Amino acid sequence: MPTASPSSQSQPRENEYRKDALIWGAGGHAKVVADILRQNAYAVCGFLDEATPHRRGELFCEATVLGDANQLQKIYESGVRKAIVAFGDNMRRLAVGELLEERGFELITAIHPSAVIAPDSVVGSGSVVVAGVVVSPAAVIGRGAILNTAATVGHDCTIADGVHIGPGAHIAGHVRVGRGAWIGIGATIIDRKRIGAWSIVGAGAVVIEDVPDRVLVAGVPARIVKSVEEIRRTR
């Protein structure tokens, strides 16, 4: 019985690498996610955008803005089963991910080919790992997290669901980052520290002490500036 040559075995058939995926979000981060998915052989079926319903039918990032959540059933009935959430609001991103799963969609991860992820680390469903990211051994990344451009996560870290680690942020070993926390661009967290749930670490901050839940810290070294609730009241 003849066997396939190595070259024929290495060439995927069309239906093996064209996999439709829905992106919920139609802003700058969605462009990044679409690029990553396409580099991983996904075909983006379209985008959802609740913030600007007038964009329905607009061509965006080589696909179409399909509308808002009211289109989910039609998209599902078309045969699309994979989806990812692509916007920055951590709390809303987790909520939308749960909604998609309730409606029968599978949350996929988007991992850029240039990212370096240790074989024994874990990246949860719905998370986005952007170009240049390094995830070291025994790290656990939760669901719906964003690891932005060139961020590094040290060994034995635990990054909870919905966390956003900004571009160029560096997290040393054994750090625990709580649910929904935001680590700003270029921030540094030394080893064995804890960042509380829903807290914000300002851009360029250097964290050398544990950070409580729901506070903003900034500076070198990082100090508590105000509570997250204060920030929301002033917006």
Side-chain angles (χ1 to χ4, degrees), residues 25-229:
H29 184 55
K31 293 180 181 180
V32 174
V33 172
D35 174 66
I36 295 171
L37 290 184
R38 287 169 178 145
Q39 292 198 56
N40 283 280
Y42 282 94
V44 177
C45 75
F47 300 84
L48 294 186
D49 184 16
E50 291 185 300
T52 53
H54 64 276
R55 294 180 63 193
R56 182 176 178 182
E58 174 186 319
L59 183 64
F60 174 78
C61 198
E62 302 180 28
T64 303
V65 178
L66 302 173
D68 57 18
N70 293 322
Q71 303 304 312
L72 280 177
Q73 186 61 33
K74 183 184 294 185
I75 294 167
Y76 186 86
E77 289 173 355
S78 76
V80 176
R81 293 293 185 270
K82 300 180 186 296
I84 191 166
V85 188
F87 52 77
D89 184 323
N90 292 352
M91 185 176 293
R92 180 64 180 152
R93 190 168 65 254
L94 287 175
V96 168
E98 291 175 0
L99 172 62
L100 285 167
E101 290 186 315
E102 289 170 2
R103 300 294 290 272
F105 291 89
E106 173 194 349
L107 285 182
I108 57 175
T109 57
I111 300 176
H112 194 278
S114 70
V116 178
I117 300 178
D120 64 344
S121 63
V122 176
V123 179
S125 59
S127 289
V128 176
V129 182
V130 182
V133 167
V134 176
V135 178
S136 297
V140 177
I141 313 299
R143 293 161 52 89
I146 299 172
L147 276 57
N148 224 318
T149 311
T152 62
V153 177
H155 62 86
D156 299 286
C157 284
T158 301
I159 310 300
D161 296 348
V163 168
H164 183 172
I165 299 176
H170 299 300
I171 300 178
H174 292 281
V175 168
R176 302 178 66 85
V177 180
R179 182 178 176 88
W182 184 290
I183 312 300
I185 184 170
T188 300
I189 303 170
I190 71 167
D191 59 295
R192 300 183 183 276
K193 300 306 170 190
R194 175 187 177 274
I195 308 299
W198 307 108
S199 283
I200 301 170
V201 176
V206 177
V207 177
I208 62 172
E209 300 290 346
D210 289 349
V211 174
D213 294 350
R214 297 181 180 274
V215 297
L216 164 65
V217 299
V220 182
R223 305 291 187 194
I224 296 175
V225 176
K226 59 180 69 175
S227 71
V228 171
E229 282 69 25

